[in-house]
Amino acid sequence: MDGVRLRSFCEGDIPDLLASWDEQQMRWWSAGPSDEAGAREWYERRNDWSDGLHASWAVTDDTDRLLGSVSVHEIVREHASAQVGYWVSPWARCRGVATAAVRLAVSHAFSELGLFRVMLYHAVENPASCAVARKLGFKLEGTLRQSYRYGDGQFHDEHLHAVLADEWTTSQRAGSRYARDRHAPT
């Protein structure tokens, strides 16, 4: 998708954060804020990178409307590895937003954070996430049985995909634009 941008979260994102988690499908897969105070706390945690264990961005379009979120998290410096996670707001699905955002975040993980391996986990029942992983060259490494309790409170089987730094090609990094701020990947 052309025009995907990564930036810090801001106060203006609160209405779209709340609207995103007003949808049952969003609540099914992940926990999110349910009121303004919760939304503010949610985005402030993601904007605070001081622990060195995550890097998170708001995903927006050319109008600066919130389309979702992407994070490089569970960073383990000793092993130069991390996970990538994301979600897309209901109004932005089926437009390539997740693929573009994950491409930018993973490029940042390899080029700026110096990581060697990035993993992507998703519930087996979520074929759209499987498609994102495959489109970006992540290799399916296996199925983890009942490995994660999602927003519905149930444990689900997950697919584990991963990509190594030497597999991440220049052609995968090309294509999307983003706005620069203190948290934008370079």
Side-chain angles (χ1 to χ4, degrees), residues 1 5 14 19 22 34 37 44 59-60 80 94 99 110-111 123 130 143 148 150 164:
M1 174 186 177
R5 301 170 186 272
I14 290 176
D22 193 40
S34 60
E44 286 173 354
V59 179
T60 67
C94 301
T99 301
F110 290 134
S111 67
C130 203
T143 301
Y148 192 78
Y150 281 88
L164 305 178

Side-chain angles (χ1 to χ4, degrees), residues 30-182:
S30 64
S34 60
D35 59 25
E36 283 190 32
R40 191 170 292 106
E41 180 182 323
W42 185 93
Y43 84 69
E44 286 173 354
R45 277 194 323 266
R46 278 149 186 83
N47 284 346
D48 179 6
W49 296 12
S50 63
D51 64 6
L53 302 176
H54 82 279
S56 299
W57 299 273
V59 179
T60 67
D61 61 14
D62 289 332
T63 70
D64 204 38
R65 181 164 191 201
L66 185 70
L67 304 179
S69 176
V70 65
S71 298
V72 176
H73 59 100
E74 305 290 332
I75 297 171
V76 180
R77 295 285 179 190
E78 178 183 357
H79 299 293
S81 68
Q83 296 176 30
V84 64
Y86 57 91
W87 55 263
V88 176
S89 297
W91 53 86
R93 293 189 189 130
C94 301
R95 295 173 30 198
V97 170
T99 301
V102 171
R103 180 180 286 117
L104 290 170
V106 172
S107 291
H108 179 79
F110 290 134
S111 67
E112 301 301 316
L113 301 178
L115 299 181
F116 175 75
R117 174 183 167 87
V118 175
M119 295 163 284
L120 187 158
Y121 294 83
H122 68 82
V124 171
E125 299 95 343
N126 188 344
S129 284
C130 203
V132 168
R134 289 175 186 218
K135 219 177 278 187
L136 291 172
F138 282 72
K139 308 271 191 275
L140 177 62
E141 295 187 343
T143 301
L144 307 173
R145 297 179 311 124
Q146 297 184 2
S147 62
Y148 192 78
R149 187 188 314 250
Y150 281 88
D152 66 352
Q154 302 299 310
F155 285 98
H156 290 263
D157 291 353
E158 290 187 300
H159 281 164
L160 165 58
H161 300 263
V163 65
L164 305 178
D166 63 354
E167 296 169 338
W168 195 252
T169 66
T170 302
S171 65
Q172 290 175 308
R173 292 188 293 251
S176 296
R177 298 171 303 162
Y178 51 87
R180 293 185 186 270
D181 74 0
R182 69 181 184 91

